[in-house]
PDB file of all heavy atoms in Angstrom:
ATOM      1  N   LEU A   1      19.391   2.853 -12.160  1.00 94.00           N
ATOM      2  CA  LEU A   1      20.567   2.046 -12.390  1.00 94.00           C
ATOM      3  C   LEU A   1      20.800   1.045 -11.276  1.00 94.00           C
ATOM      4  O   LEU A   1      21.232  -0.096 -11.484  1.00 94.00           O
ATOM      5  CB  LEU A   1      21.777   2.885 -12.512  1.00 94.00           C
ATOM      6  CG  LEU A   1      21.925   3.657 -13.953  1.00 94.00           C
ATOM      7  CD1 LEU A   1      23.292   4.619 -13.884  1.00 94.00           C
ATOM      8  CD2 LEU A   1      22.282   2.571 -14.986  1.00 94.00           C
ATOM      9  N   GLN A   2      20.669   1.467 -10.035  1.00 94.00           N
ATOM     10  CA  GLN A   2      20.889   0.666  -8.952  1.00 94.00           C
ATOM     11  C   GLN A   2      20.064  -0.528  -8.830  1.00 94.00           C
ATOM     12  O   GLN A   2      20.518  -1.647  -8.503  1.00 94.00           O
ATOM     13  CB  GLN A   2      20.912   1.378  -7.485  1.00 94.00           C
ATOM     14  CG  GLN A   2      21.346   0.712  -6.353  1.00 94.00           C
ATOM     15  CD  GLN A   2      21.309   1.615  -5.123  1.00 94.00           C
ATOM     16  OE1 GLN A   2      20.890   2.789  -5.126  1.00 94.00           O
ATOM     17  NE2 GLN A   2      21.868   1.046  -4.094  1.00 94.00           N
ATOM     18  N   GLY A   3      18.746  -0.402  -9.188  1.00 95.00           N
ATOM     19  CA  GLY A   3      17.828  -1.468  -9.140  1.00 95.00           C
ATOM     20  C   GLY A   3      17.704  -2.192 -10.548  1.00 95.00           C
ATOM     21  O   GLY A   3      16.803  -3.035 -10.686  1.00 95.00           O
ATOM     22  N   PHE A   4      18.484  -1.749 -11.525  1.00 95.00           N
ATOM     23  CA  PHE A   4      18.486  -2.351 -12.908  1.00 95.00           C
ATOM     24  C   PHE A   4      17.143  -2.173 -13.489  1.00 95.00           C
ATOM     25  O   PHE A   4      16.754  -3.121 -14.325  1.00 95.00           O
ATOM     26  CB  PHE A   4      18.993  -3.836 -12.781  1.00 95.00           C
ATOM     27  CG  PHE A   4      19.389  -4.392 -14.175  1.00 95.00           C
ATOM     28  CD1 PHE A   4      20.367  -3.802 -14.897  1.00 95.00           C
ATOM     29  CD2 PHE A   4      18.768  -5.468 -14.741  1.00 95.00           C
ATOM     30  CE1 PHE A   4      20.820  -4.386 -16.067  1.00 95.00           C
ATOM     31  CE2 PHE A   4      19.055  -5.990 -15.895  1.00 95.00           C
ATOM     32  CZ  PHE A   4      20.119  -5.404 -16.606  1.00 95.00           C
ATOM     33  N   GLY A   5      16.360  -1.238 -13.130  1.00 95.00           N
ATOM     34  CA  GLY A   5      15.171  -0.986 -13.662  1.00 95.00           C
ATOM     35  C   GLY A   5      13.947  -1.992 -13.386  1.00 95.00           C
ATOM     36  O   GLY A   5      13.082  -2.060 -13.991  1.00 95.00           O
ATOM     37  N   ARG A   6      14.362  -2.813 -12.335  1.00 94.00           N
ATOM     38  CA  ARG A   6      13.356  -3.888 -11.912  1.00 94.00           C
ATOM     39  C   ARG A   6      12.551  -3.501 -10.837  1.00 94.00           C
ATOM     40  O   ARG A   6      11.735  -4.321 -10.312  1.00 94.00           O
ATOM     41  CB  ARG A   6      14.054  -5.213 -11.692  1.00 94.00           C
ATOM     42  CG  ARG A   6      14.653  -5.826 -13.068  1.00 94.00           C
ATOM     43  CD  ARG A   6      15.343  -7.069 -12.823  1.00 94.00           C
ATOM     44  NE  ARG A   6      15.717  -7.691 -14.183  1.00 94.00           N
ATOM     45  CZ  ARG A   6      16.700  -8.665 -14.328  1.00 94.00           C
ATOM     46  NH1 ARG A   6      17.348  -9.002 -13.208  1.00 94.00           N
ATOM     47  NH2 ARG A   6      16.958  -9.141 -15.537  1.00 94.00           N
ATOM     48  N   ARG A   7      12.697  -2.354 -10.224  1.00 96.00           N
ATOM     49  CA  ARG A   7      11.938  -1.933  -9.100  1.00 96.00           C
ATOM     50  C   ARG A   7      10.887  -0.898  -9.660  1.00 96.00           C
ATOM     51  O   ARG A   7      11.049  -0.023 -10.336  1.00 96.00           O
ATOM     52  CB  ARG A   7      12.792  -1.248  -8.060  1.00 96.00           C
ATOM     53  CG  ARG A   7      13.820  -2.012  -7.507  1.00 96.00           C
ATOM     54  CD  ARG A   7      14.662  -1.476  -6.485  1.00 96.00           C
ATOM     55  NE  ARG A   7      15.468  -0.313  -6.931  1.00 96.00           N
ATOM     56  CZ  ARG A   7      16.403   0.369  -6.197  1.00 96.00           C
ATOM     57  NH1 ARG A   7      16.657  -0.050  -4.943  1.00 96.00           N
ATOM     58  NH2 ARG A   7      17.010   1.469  -6.648  1.00 96.00           N
ATOM     59  N   ARG A   8       9.598  -1.093  -9.135  1.00 96.00           N
ATOM     60  CA  ARG A   8       8.517  -0.275  -9.606  1.00 96.00           C
ATOM     61  C   ARG A   8       8.664   1.155  -8.924  1.00 96.00           C
ATOM     62  O   ARG A   8       9.122   1.235  -7.947  1.00 96.00           O
ATOM     63  CB  ARG A   8       7.143  -0.850  -9.203  1.00 96.00           C
ATOM     64  CG  ARG A   8       6.909  -2.269  -9.903  1.00 96.00           C
ATOM     65  CD  ARG A   8       5.560  -2.737  -9.736  1.00 96.00           C
ATOM     66  NE  ARG A   8       5.172  -3.878 -10.635  1.00 96.00           N
ATOM     67  CZ  ARG A   8       4.135  -4.170 -11.340  1.00 96.00           C
ATOM     68  NH1 ARG A   8       3.125  -3.267 -11.331  1.00 96.00           N
ATOM     69  NH2 ARG A   8       3.945  -5.265 -12.023  1.00 96.00           N
ATOM     70  N   MET A   9       8.265   2.065  -9.799  1.00 97.00           N
ATOM     71  CA  MET A   9       8.290   3.392  -9.430  1.00 97.00           C
ATOM     72  C   MET A   9       6.875   4.044  -9.650  1.00 97.00           C
ATOM     73  O   MET A   9       6.162   3.689 -10.674  1.00 97.00           O
ATOM     74  CB  MET A   9       9.364   4.255 -10.187  1.00 97.00           C
ATOM     75  CG  MET A   9      10.724   3.756  -9.866  1.00 97.00           C
ATOM     76  SD  MET A   9      11.930   4.594 -10.973  1.00 97.00           S
ATOM     77  CE  MET A   9      11.675   6.414 -10.430  1.00 97.00           C
ATOM     78  N   GLU A  10       6.515   4.980  -8.899  1.00 97.00           N
ATOM     79  CA  GLU A  10       5.235   5.784  -9.142  1.00 97.00           C
ATOM     80  C   GLU A  10       5.453   6.783 -10.115  1.00 97.00           C
ATOM     81  O   GLU A  10       6.191   7.822  -9.879  1.00 97.00           O
ATOM     82  CB  GLU A  10       4.715   6.249  -7.834  1.00 97.00           C
ATOM     83  CG  GLU A  10       4.167   5.388  -6.810  1.00 97.00           C
ATOM     84  CD  GLU A  10       2.979   4.635  -7.242  1.00 97.00           C
ATOM     85  OE1 GLU A  10       2.179   5.141  -8.056  1.00 97.00           O
ATOM     86  OE2 GLU A  10       2.669   3.454  -6.833  1.00 97.00           O
ATOM     87  N   ILE A  11       5.058   6.582 -11.395  1.00 98.00           N
ATOM     88  CA  ILE A  11       5.199   7.590 -12.404  1.00 98.00           C
ATOM     89  C   ILE A  11       3.815   7.893 -13.132  1.00 98.00           C
ATOM     90  O   ILE A  11       2.988   7.086 -13.049  1.00 98.00           O
ATOM     91  CB  ILE A  11       6.219   7.170 -13.519  1.00 98.00           C
ATOM     92  CG1 ILE A  11       5.672   5.829 -14.194  1.00 98.00           C
ATOM     93  CG2 ILE A  11       7.524   6.933 -12.968  1.00 98.00           C
ATOM     94  CD1 ILE A  11       6.494   5.385 -15.421  1.00 98.00           C
ATOM     95  N   THR A  12       3.685   9.138 -13.589  1.00 98.00           N
ATOM     96  CA  THR A  12       2.470   9.503 -14.300  1.00 98.00           C
ATOM     97  C   THR A  12       2.593   8.998 -15.780  1.00 98.00           C
ATOM     98  O   THR A  12       3.727   8.720 -16.232  1.00 98.00           O
ATOM     99  CB  THR A  12       2.312  11.105 -14.223  1.00 98.00           C
ATOM    100  OG1 THR A  12       3.331  11.681 -15.075  1.00 98.00           O
ATOM    101  CG2 THR A  12       2.318  11.552 -12.777  1.00 98.00           C
ATOM    102  N   PRO A  13       1.497   8.979 -16.426  1.00 98.00           N
ATOM    103  CA  PRO A  13       1.510   8.639 -17.853  1.00 98.00           C
ATOM    104  C   PRO A  13       2.394   9.673 -18.758  1.00 98.00           C
ATOM    105  O   PRO A  13       3.153   9.177 -19.615  1.00 98.00           O
ATOM    106  CB  PRO A  13       0.049   8.729 -18.268  1.00 98.00           C
ATOM    107  CG  PRO A  13      -0.715   8.379 -16.994  1.00 98.00           C
ATOM    108  CD  PRO A  13       0.087   8.980 -15.922  1.00 98.00           C
ATOM    109  N   GLN A  14       2.403  10.935 -18.303  1.00 98.00           N
ATOM    110  CA  GLN A  14       3.140  11.980 -18.941  1.00 98.00           C
ATOM    111  C   GLN A  14       4.599  11.701 -18.793  1.00 98.00           C
ATOM    112  O   GLN A  14       5.462  11.711 -19.652  1.00 98.00           O
ATOM    113  CB  GLN A  14       2.838  13.278 -18.486  1.00 98.00           C
ATOM    114  CG  GLN A  14       3.541  14.432 -19.306  1.00 98.00           C
ATOM    115  CD  GLN A  14       3.146  14.417 -20.843  1.00 98.00           C
ATOM    116  OE1 GLN A  14       2.040  14.710 -21.093  1.00 98.00           O
ATOM    117  NE2 GLN A  14       4.093  14.246 -21.648  1.00 98.00           N
ATOM    118  N   GLU A  15       4.989  11.335 -17.595  1.00 98.00           N
ATOM    119  CA  GLU A  15       6.421  10.914 -17.260  1.00 98.00           C
ATOM    120  C   GLU A  15       6.867   9.785 -18.006  1.00 98.00           C
ATOM    121  O   GLU A  15       7.922   9.648 -18.631  1.00 98.00           O
ATOM    122  CB  GLU A  15       6.573  10.677 -15.792  1.00 98.00           C
ATOM    123  CG  GLU A  15       6.602  11.887 -14.996  1.00 98.00           C
ATOM    124  CD  GLU A  15       6.581  11.664 -13.487  1.00 98.00           C
ATOM    125  OE1 GLU A  15       5.915  10.662 -13.009  1.00 98.00           O
ATOM    126  OE2 GLU A  15       7.032  12.500 -12.709  1.00 98.00           O
ATOM    127  N   ALA A  16       5.860   8.724 -18.201  1.00 98.00           N
ATOM    128  CA  ALA A  16       6.193   7.460 -19.000  1.00 98.00           C
ATOM    129  C   ALA A  16       6.434   7.919 -20.419  1.00 98.00           C
ATOM    130  O   ALA A  16       7.464   7.447 -21.077  1.00 98.00           O
ATOM    131  CB  ALA A  16       5.132   6.438 -18.815  1.00 98.00           C
ATOM    132  N   TYR A  17       5.608   8.675 -20.897  1.00 98.00           N
ATOM    133  CA  TYR A  17       5.623   9.122 -22.359  1.00 98.00           C
ATOM    134  C   TYR A  17       6.928   9.831 -22.593  1.00 98.00           C
ATOM    135  O   TYR A  17       7.643   9.469 -23.494  1.00 98.00           O
ATOM    136  CB  TYR A  17       4.439  10.136 -22.758  1.00 98.00           C
ATOM    137  CG  TYR A  17       4.502  10.728 -23.968  1.00 98.00           C
ATOM    138  CD1 TYR A  17       3.820  10.115 -25.044  1.00 98.00           C
ATOM    139  CD2 TYR A  17       5.310  11.966 -24.276  1.00 98.00           C
ATOM    140  CE1 TYR A  17       3.894  10.820 -26.343  1.00 98.00           C
ATOM    141  CE2 TYR A  17       5.340  12.492 -25.516  1.00 98.00           C
ATOM    142  CZ  TYR A  17       4.621  11.939 -26.611  1.00 98.00           C
ATOM    143  OH  TYR A  17       4.652  12.518 -27.940  1.00 98.00           O
ATOM    144  N   ASP A  18       7.383  10.708 -21.702  1.00 98.00           N
ATOM    145  CA  ASP A  18       8.583  11.561 -21.862  1.00 98.00           C
ATOM    146  C   ASP A  18       9.767  10.706 -21.806  1.00 98.00           C
ATOM    147  O   ASP A  18      10.752  10.831 -22.633  1.00 98.00           O
ATOM    148  CB  ASP A  18       8.644  12.663 -20.780  1.00 98.00           C
ATOM    149  CG  ASP A  18       7.526  13.791 -20.995  1.00 98.00           C
ATOM    150  OD1 ASP A  18       7.011  13.836 -22.003  1.00 98.00           O
ATOM    151  OD2 ASP A  18       7.311  14.482 -20.034  1.00 98.00           O
ATOM    152  N   MET A  19       9.845   9.761 -20.883  1.00 98.00           N
ATOM    153  CA  MET A  19      11.085   8.957 -20.875  1.00 98.00           C
ATOM    154  C   MET A  19      11.212   7.983 -21.836  1.00 98.00           C
ATOM    155  O   MET A  19      12.354   7.716 -22.263  1.00 98.00           O
ATOM    156  CB  MET A  19      11.183   8.341 -19.420  1.00 98.00           C
ATOM    157  CG  MET A  19      10.079   7.233 -19.118  1.00 98.00           C
ATOM    158  SD  MET A  19      10.407   6.375 -17.477  1.00 98.00           S
ATOM    159  CE  MET A  19      10.073   7.809 -16.322  1.00 98.00           C
ATOM    160  N   VAL A  20      10.142   7.493 -22.449  1.00 98.00           N
ATOM    161  CA  VAL A  20      10.207   6.597 -23.657  1.00 98.00           C
ATOM    162  C   VAL A  20      10.620   7.443 -24.905  1.00 98.00           C
ATOM    163  O   VAL A  20      11.490   6.995 -25.672  1.00 98.00           O
ATOM    164  CB  VAL A  20       8.911   5.900 -23.762  1.00 98.00           C
ATOM    165  CG1 VAL A  20       8.824   5.110 -25.174  1.00 98.00           C
ATOM    166  CG2 VAL A  20       8.659   4.912 -22.629  1.00 98.00           C
ATOM    167  N   VAL A  21       9.998   8.596 -25.114  1.00 98.00           N
ATOM    168  CA  VAL A  21      10.539   9.390 -26.147  1.00 98.00           C
ATOM    169  C   VAL A  21      11.964   9.745 -26.219  1.00 98.00           C
ATOM    170  O   VAL A  21      12.732   9.594 -27.039  1.00 98.00           O
ATOM    171  CB  VAL A  21       9.653  10.681 -26.286  1.00 98.00           C
ATOM    172  CG1 VAL A  21      10.272  11.688 -27.299  1.00 98.00           C
ATOM    173  CG2 VAL A  21       8.214  10.352 -26.713  1.00 98.00           C
ATOM    174  N   TYR A  22      12.418  10.056 -24.972  1.00 98.00           N
ATOM    175  CA  TYR A  22      13.817  10.504 -24.791  1.00 98.00           C
ATOM    176  C   TYR A  22      14.713   9.285 -25.034  1.00 98.00           C
ATOM    177  O   TYR A  22      15.716   9.459 -25.880  1.00 98.00           O
ATOM    178  CB  TYR A  22      13.930  10.893 -23.259  1.00 98.00           C
ATOM    179  CG  TYR A  22      15.330  11.414 -22.878  1.00 98.00           C
ATOM    180  CD1 TYR A  22      15.680  12.652 -22.949  1.00 98.00           C
ATOM    181  CD2 TYR A  22      16.308  10.520 -22.428  1.00 98.00           C
ATOM    182  CE1 TYR A  22      16.918  13.138 -22.555  1.00 98.00           C
ATOM    183  CE2 TYR A  22      17.537  10.852 -21.956  1.00 98.00           C
ATOM    184  CZ  TYR A  22      17.953  12.186 -22.081  1.00 98.00           C
ATOM    185  OH  TYR A  22      19.095  12.634 -21.713  1.00 98.00           O
ATOM    186  N   GLN A  23      14.398   8.089 -24.569  1.00 98.00           N
ATOM    187  CA  GLN A  23      15.342   6.987 -24.717  1.00 98.00           C
ATOM    188  C   GLN A  23      15.320   6.467 -26.218  1.00 98.00           C
ATOM    189  O   GLN A  23      16.412   5.995 -26.755  1.00 98.00           O
ATOM    190  CB  GLN A  23      14.942   5.837 -23.708  1.00 98.00           C
ATOM    191  CG  GLN A  23      15.344   6.309 -22.288  1.00 98.00           C
ATOM    192  CD  GLN A  23      14.907   5.232 -21.262  1.00 98.00           C
ATOM    193  OE1 GLN A  23      15.538   4.268 -21.125  1.00 98.00           O
ATOM    194  NE2 GLN A  23      13.696   5.511 -20.688  1.00 98.00           N
ATOM    195  N   ILE A  24      14.139   6.467 -26.821  1.00 98.00           N
ATOM    196  CA  ILE A  24      14.014   6.118 -28.261  1.00 98.00           C
ATOM    197  C   ILE A  24      14.992   7.058 -29.132  1.00 98.00           C
ATOM    198  O   ILE A  24      15.728   6.612 -29.826  1.00 98.00           O
ATOM    199  CB  ILE A  24      12.627   6.139 -28.762  1.00 98.00           C
ATOM    200  CG1 ILE A  24      11.753   5.056 -28.113  1.00 98.00           C
ATOM    201  CG2 ILE A  24      12.584   5.849 -30.338  1.00 98.00           C
ATOM    202  CD1 ILE A  24      10.268   5.115 -28.507  1.00 98.00           C
ATOM    203  N   GLY A  25      14.843   8.307 -28.807  1.00 98.00           N
ATOM    204  CA  GLY A  25      15.500   9.274 -29.624  1.00 98.00           C
ATOM    205  C   GLY A  25      17.077   9.069 -29.379  1.00 98.00           C
ATOM    206  O   GLY A  25      17.807   9.182 -30.464  1.00 98.00           O
ATOM    207  N   ALA A  26      17.523   8.809 -28.283  1.00 98.00           N
ATOM    208  CA  ALA A  26      18.956   8.575 -27.995  1.00 98.00           C
ATOM    209  C   ALA A  26      19.440   7.408 -28.768  1.00 98.00           C
ATOM    210  O   ALA A  26      20.605   7.508 -29.451  1.00 98.00           O
ATOM    211  CB  ALA A  26      19.211   8.386 -26.459  1.00 98.00           C
ATOM    212  N   LEU A  27      18.712   6.271 -28.696  1.00 98.00           N
ATOM    213  CA  LEU A  27      19.369   5.098 -29.470  1.00 98.00           C
ATOM    214  C   LEU A  27      19.148   5.348 -30.924  1.00 98.00           C
ATOM    215  O   LEU A  27      20.020   4.886 -31.723  1.00 98.00           O
ATOM    216  CB  LEU A  27      18.588   3.806 -28.979  1.00 98.00           C
ATOM    217  CG  LEU A  27      19.174   2.594 -29.504  1.00 98.00           C
ATOM    218  CD1 LEU A  27      20.486   2.310 -28.829  1.00 98.00           C
ATOM    219  CD2 LEU A  27      18.250   1.422 -29.623  1.00 98.00           C
ATOM    220  N   ASP A  28      18.093   5.875 -31.426  1.00 98.00           N
ATOM    221  CA  ASP A  28      17.839   6.170 -32.797  1.00 98.00           C
ATOM    222  C   ASP A  28      18.924   6.977 -33.470  1.00 98.00           C
ATOM    223  O   ASP A  28      19.402   6.753 -34.564  1.00 98.00           O
ATOM    224  CB  ASP A  28      16.457   6.816 -33.055  1.00 98.00           C
ATOM    225  CG  ASP A  28      16.187   6.689 -34.506  1.00 98.00           C
ATOM    226  OD1 ASP A  28      16.222   5.688 -35.166  1.00 98.00           O
ATOM    227  OD2 ASP A  28      15.665   7.738 -34.960  1.00 98.00           O
ATOM    228  N   ALA A  29      19.563   7.900 -32.745  1.00 98.00           N
ATOM    229  CA  ALA A  29      20.671   8.698 -33.231  1.00 98.00           C
ATOM    230  C   ALA A  29      21.869   7.827 -33.519  1.00 98.00           C
ATOM    231  O   ALA A  29      22.492   8.058 -34.549  1.00 98.00           O
ATOM    232  CB  ALA A  29      21.007   9.859 -32.200  1.00 98.00           C
ATOM    233  N   PHE A  30      22.120   6.879 -32.609  1.00 98.00           N
ATOM    234  CA  PHE A  30      23.278   6.028 -32.950  1.00 98.00           C
ATOM    235  C   PHE A  30      22.998   5.075 -34.048  1.00 98.00           C
ATOM    236  O   PHE A  30      23.764   4.812 -34.904  1.00 98.00           O
ATOM    237  CB  PHE A  30      23.547   5.102 -31.717  1.00 98.00           C
ATOM    238  CG  PHE A  30      24.335   5.870 -30.629  1.00 98.00           C
ATOM    239  CD1 PHE A  30      23.761   6.177 -29.383  1.00 98.00           C
ATOM    240  CD2 PHE A  30      25.623   6.327 -30.865  1.00 98.00           C
ATOM    241  CE1 PHE A  30      24.314   6.806 -28.471  1.00 98.00           C
ATOM    242  CE2 PHE A  30      26.362   6.987 -29.828  1.00 98.00           C
ATOM    243  CZ  PHE A  30      25.610   7.284 -28.606  1.00 98.00           C
ATOM    244  N   VAL A  31      21.694   4.550 -34.164  1.00 98.00           N
ATOM    245  CA  VAL A  31      21.363   3.692 -35.262  1.00 98.00           C
ATOM    246  C   VAL A  31      21.546   4.456 -36.637  1.00 98.00           C
ATOM    247  O   VAL A  31      22.143   3.894 -37.649  1.00 98.00           O
ATOM    248  CB  VAL A  31      19.906   3.140 -35.095  1.00 98.00           C
ATOM    249  CG1 VAL A  31      19.457   2.263 -36.367  1.00 98.00           C
ATOM    250  CG2 VAL A  31      19.774   2.370 -33.832  1.00 98.00           C
ATOM    251  N   ARG A  32      21.062   5.668 -36.670  1.00 98.00           N
ATOM    252  CA  ARG A  32      21.111   6.462 -37.952  1.00 98.00           C
ATOM    253  C   ARG A  32      22.447   6.837 -38.213  1.00 98.00           C
ATOM    254  O   ARG A  32      22.999   6.883 -39.370  1.00 98.00           O
ATOM    255  CB  ARG A  32      20.336   7.640 -37.803  1.00 98.00           C
ATOM    256  CG  ARG A  32      18.755   7.511 -37.770  1.00 98.00           C
ATOM    257  CD  ARG A  32      18.048   8.852 -37.463  1.00 98.00           C
ATOM    258  NE  ARG A  32      16.595   8.570 -37.433  1.00 98.00           N
ATOM    259  CZ  ARG A  32      15.808   8.692 -38.444  1.00 98.00           C
ATOM    260  NH1 ARG A  32      16.343   9.039 -39.650  1.00 98.00           N
ATOM    261  NH2 ARG A  32      14.493   8.501 -38.441  1.00 98.00           N
ATOM    262  N   SER A  33      23.337   6.969 -37.226  1.00 98.00           N
ATOM    263  CA  SER A  33      24.826   7.358 -37.443  1.00 98.00           C
ATOM    264  C   SER A  33      25.526   6.231 -38.217  1.00 98.00           C
ATOM    265  O   SER A  33      26.598   6.452 -38.841  1.00 98.00           O
ATOM    266  CB  SER A  33      25.470   7.767 -36.114  1.00 98.00           C
ATOM    267  OG  SER A  33      25.752   6.584 -35.437  1.00 98.00           O
ATOM    268  N   TYR A  34      25.043   4.981 -38.096  1.00 97.00           N
ATOM    269  CA  TYR A  34      25.701   3.795 -38.836  1.00 97.00           C
ATOM    270  C   TYR A  34      24.811   3.459 -39.985  1.00 97.00           C
ATOM    271  O   TYR A  34      24.999   2.367 -40.488  1.00 97.00           O
ATOM    272  CB  TYR A  34      25.771   2.651 -37.807  1.00 97.00           C
ATOM    273  CG  TYR A  34      26.994   2.781 -36.898  1.00 97.00           C
ATOM    274  CD1 TYR A  34      26.809   3.172 -35.530  1.00 97.00           C
ATOM    275  CD2 TYR A  34      28.243   2.550 -37.323  1.00 97.00           C
ATOM    276  CE1 TYR A  34      27.864   3.326 -34.758  1.00 97.00           C
ATOM    277  CE2 TYR A  34      29.327   2.672 -36.511  1.00 97.00           C
ATOM    278  CZ  TYR A  34      29.147   3.087 -35.108  1.00 97.00           C
ATOM    279  OH  TYR A  34      30.182   3.329 -34.312  1.00 97.00           O
ATOM    280  N   GLY A  35      23.890   4.277 -40.367  1.00 98.00           N
ATOM    281  CA  GLY A  35      23.215   4.097 -41.640  1.00 98.00           C
ATOM    282  C   GLY A  35      22.066   3.032 -41.475  1.00 98.00           C
ATOM    283  O   GLY A  35      21.597   2.496 -42.458  1.00 98.00           O
ATOM    284  N   GLY A  36      21.664   2.685 -40.236  1.00 98.00           N
ATOM    285  CA  GLY A  36      20.756   1.725 -39.990  1.00 98.00           C
ATOM    286  C   GLY A  36      19.342   2.217 -39.747  1.00 98.00           C
ATOM    287  O   GLY A  36      19.190   3.549 -39.816  1.00 98.00           O
TER     288      GLY A  36
END
């Protein structure tokens, strides 16, 4: 949050996979709740 996601971080491919799945799922729940 502090760097607005514009600072590079050392992450593993598994960490990238997990954080993308997590965030897609969070937004998708809101989209589905509105019938989208």
